[in-house]
Short mmCIF file of all heavy atoms in Angstrom, two decimals:
data_model
loop_
_atom_site.label_atom_id
_atom_site.label_comp_id
_atom_site.label_asym_id
_atom_site.label_seq_id
_atom_site.Cartn_x
_atom_site.Cartn_y
_atom_site.Cartn_z
N ARG A 55 93.14 -24.01 104.06
CA ARG A 55 92.73 -24.61 102.89
C ARG A 55 91.72 -25.80 103.08
O ARG A 55 92.02 -26.73 103.65
CB ARG A 55 93.91 -25.08 102.09
CG ARG A 55 94.89 -24.10 101.84
CD ARG A 55 95.93 -24.54 100.90
NE ARG A 55 95.41 -24.49 99.52
CZ ARG A 55 96.25 -24.31 98.42
NH1 ARG A 55 97.45 -24.33 98.63
NH2 ARG A 55 95.74 -24.28 97.25
N PHE A 56 90.51 -25.51 102.62
CA PHE A 56 89.51 -26.59 102.64
C PHE A 56 89.31 -27.20 101.26
O PHE A 56 88.00 -27.70 100.96
CB PHE A 56 88.15 -26.04 103.27
CG PHE A 56 88.21 -25.70 104.84
CD1 PHE A 56 87.59 -24.60 105.27
CD2 PHE A 56 88.81 -26.60 105.56
CE1 PHE A 56 87.55 -24.43 106.74
CE2 PHE A 56 88.83 -26.40 107.06
CZ PHE A 56 88.22 -25.23 107.57
N GLY A 57 90.09 -26.92 100.42
CA GLY A 57 89.88 -27.33 98.89
C GLY A 57 90.28 -28.75 98.69
O GLY A 57 89.93 -29.37 97.60
N ALA A 58 91.14 -29.45 99.62
CA ALA A 58 91.73 -30.72 99.24
C ALA A 58 90.70 -31.69 98.85
O ALA A 58 89.78 -32.11 99.58
CB ALA A 58 92.53 -31.28 100.35
N GLY A 59 91.07 -32.50 97.79
CA GLY A 59 90.28 -33.75 97.35
C GLY A 59 90.86 -34.88 97.53
O GLY A 59 90.75 -35.82 96.90
N GLU A 60 91.81 -34.86 98.64
CA GLU A 60 92.49 -36.18 98.85
C GLU A 60 92.89 -36.16 100.43
O GLU A 60 92.96 -35.15 101.04
CB GLU A 60 93.92 -36.11 98.08
CG GLU A 60 94.74 -34.98 98.43
CD GLU A 60 95.90 -34.94 97.40
OE1 GLU A 60 96.34 -35.90 96.76
OE2 GLU A 60 96.66 -33.98 97.37
N PRO A 61 93.04 -37.51 100.83
CA PRO A 61 93.26 -37.55 102.31
C PRO A 61 94.56 -36.90 102.59
O PRO A 61 95.52 -36.86 101.97
CB PRO A 61 93.43 -39.11 102.55
CG PRO A 61 92.80 -39.69 101.22
CD PRO A 61 92.93 -38.76 100.19
N PHE A 320 88.02 -39.29 109.86
CA PHE A 320 87.15 -38.44 109.01
C PHE A 320 85.85 -38.46 109.52
O PHE A 320 85.21 -37.33 109.47
CB PHE A 320 87.12 -39.10 107.62
CG PHE A 320 88.38 -38.82 106.70
CD1 PHE A 320 88.76 -39.87 105.85
CD2 PHE A 320 88.91 -37.70 106.66
CE1 PHE A 320 89.99 -39.66 105.09
CE2 PHE A 320 90.14 -37.47 105.85
CZ PHE A 320 90.64 -38.42 104.99
N MET A 327 83.02 -30.54 111.89
CA MET A 327 82.83 -29.59 110.90
C MET A 327 81.30 -29.22 110.61
O MET A 327 80.98 -28.11 110.65
CB MET A 327 83.52 -29.79 109.56
CG MET A 327 83.43 -28.77 108.53
SD MET A 327 84.20 -29.29 106.99
CE MET A 327 85.90 -28.46 107.09
N PHE A 346 84.83 -37.11 102.45
CA PHE A 346 85.44 -36.12 103.44
C PHE A 346 85.05 -34.65 102.94
O PHE A 346 85.82 -33.80 103.04
CB PHE A 346 86.94 -36.26 103.64
CG PHE A 346 87.77 -36.72 102.43
CD1 PHE A 346 88.04 -35.87 101.44
CD2 PHE A 346 88.17 -38.10 102.17
CE1 PHE A 346 88.64 -36.29 100.28
CE2 PHE A 346 88.94 -38.41 101.09
CZ PHE A 346 89.14 -37.57 100.10
N TYR A 347 83.78 -34.50 102.68
CA TYR A 347 83.30 -33.18 102.29
C TYR A 347 81.93 -32.87 103.00
O TYR A 347 81.10 -33.65 103.19
CB TYR A 347 82.93 -33.21 100.77
CG TYR A 347 84.11 -33.81 99.89
CD1 TYR A 347 83.97 -35.08 99.35
CD2 TYR A 347 85.21 -33.12 99.67
CE1 TYR A 347 85.02 -35.61 98.52
CE2 TYR A 347 86.32 -33.71 98.86
CZ TYR A 347 86.11 -34.94 98.35
OH TYR A 347 87.18 -35.49 97.61
N ALA A 348 81.97 -31.51 103.28
CA ALA A 348 80.79 -30.81 103.76
C ALA A 348 80.39 -29.94 102.76
O ALA A 348 81.31 -29.37 101.95
CB ALA A 348 81.01 -30.17 105.05
N ALA A 382 90.06 -20.99 101.78
CA ALA A 382 89.95 -21.55 100.42
C ALA A 382 88.84 -22.66 100.43
O ALA A 382 89.01 -23.72 101.20
CB ALA A 382 91.19 -22.00 99.89
N VAL A 383 87.70 -22.47 99.79
CA VAL A 383 86.74 -23.44 99.61
C VAL A 383 86.45 -23.65 98.10
O VAL A 383 87.02 -22.83 97.29
CB VAL A 383 85.36 -23.19 100.31
CG1 VAL A 383 85.55 -22.97 101.81
CG2 VAL A 383 84.83 -21.77 99.71
N VAL A 384 85.75 -24.70 97.74
CA VAL A 384 85.47 -24.85 96.33
C VAL A 384 84.06 -24.49 96.10
O VAL A 384 83.14 -25.15 96.53
CB VAL A 384 85.78 -26.42 96.04
CG1 VAL A 384 85.41 -26.77 94.59
CG2 VAL A 384 87.14 -26.86 96.33
N ARG A 396 82.02 -26.35 98.70
CA ARG A 396 82.51 -27.57 99.22
C ARG A 396 83.67 -27.33 100.20
O ARG A 396 84.65 -26.68 99.80
CB ARG A 396 82.88 -28.52 98.14
CG ARG A 396 83.25 -29.96 98.71
CD ARG A 396 84.00 -30.84 97.52
NE ARG A 396 85.34 -30.47 97.53
CZ ARG A 396 86.23 -31.19 96.72
NH1 ARG A 396 85.76 -32.05 95.98
NH2 ARG A 396 87.60 -30.83 96.69
N LEU A 397 83.63 -27.96 101.45
CA LEU A 397 84.69 -27.87 102.35
C LEU A 397 85.22 -29.16 102.59
O LEU A 397 84.38 -30.05 103.06
CB LEU A 397 84.24 -27.17 103.65
CG LEU A 397 84.11 -25.70 103.89
CD1 LEU A 397 82.94 -25.23 102.97
CD2 LEU A 397 83.94 -25.37 105.25
N SER A 398 86.51 -29.59 102.39
CA SER A 398 86.95 -30.88 102.51
C SER A 398 87.50 -30.80 104.04
O SER A 398 88.12 -29.86 104.60
CB SER A 398 88.23 -31.02 101.68
OG SER A 398 89.10 -32.01 102.13
N PHE A 399 87.24 -31.92 104.75
CA PHE A 399 87.70 -32.15 106.06
C PHE A 399 88.87 -33.02 106.11
O PHE A 399 89.19 -33.67 107.17
CB PHE A 399 86.62 -32.37 107.14
CG PHE A 399 85.61 -33.39 106.93
CD1 PHE A 399 85.87 -34.78 107.05
CD2 PHE A 399 84.30 -33.05 106.31
CE1 PHE A 399 84.83 -35.70 106.74
CE2 PHE A 399 83.38 -33.96 106.02
CZ PHE A 399 83.67 -35.19 106.17
N ALA A 400 89.45 -33.13 104.97
CA ALA A 400 90.83 -33.89 104.92
C ALA A 400 91.94 -32.99 105.49
O ALA A 400 92.96 -32.68 104.73
CB ALA A 400 91.05 -34.39 103.52
N THR A 401 91.70 -32.44 106.65
CA THR A 401 92.70 -31.61 107.36
C THR A 401 92.44 -31.69 108.91
O THR A 401 91.32 -32.24 109.31
CB THR A 401 92.47 -30.19 106.83
OG1 THR A 401 93.50 -29.34 107.33
CG2 THR A 401 91.11 -29.54 107.21
N ILE A 406 90.32 -27.02 110.95
CA ILE A 406 88.84 -26.94 110.97
C ILE A 406 88.41 -25.81 111.74
O ILE A 406 87.55 -24.88 111.31
CB ILE A 406 88.24 -28.32 111.23
CG1 ILE A 406 88.56 -29.34 110.22
CG2 ILE A 406 86.62 -28.19 111.36
CD1 ILE A 406 88.10 -30.72 110.41
#
Side-chain angles (χ1 to χ4, degrees):
R55 298 191 86 155
F56 287 144
E60 59 187 348
F320 285 138
M327 181 181 262
F346 36 75
Y347 310 106
V383 300
V384 177
R396 190 191 80 176
L397 280 69
S398 159
F399 42 88
T401 186
I406 291 174

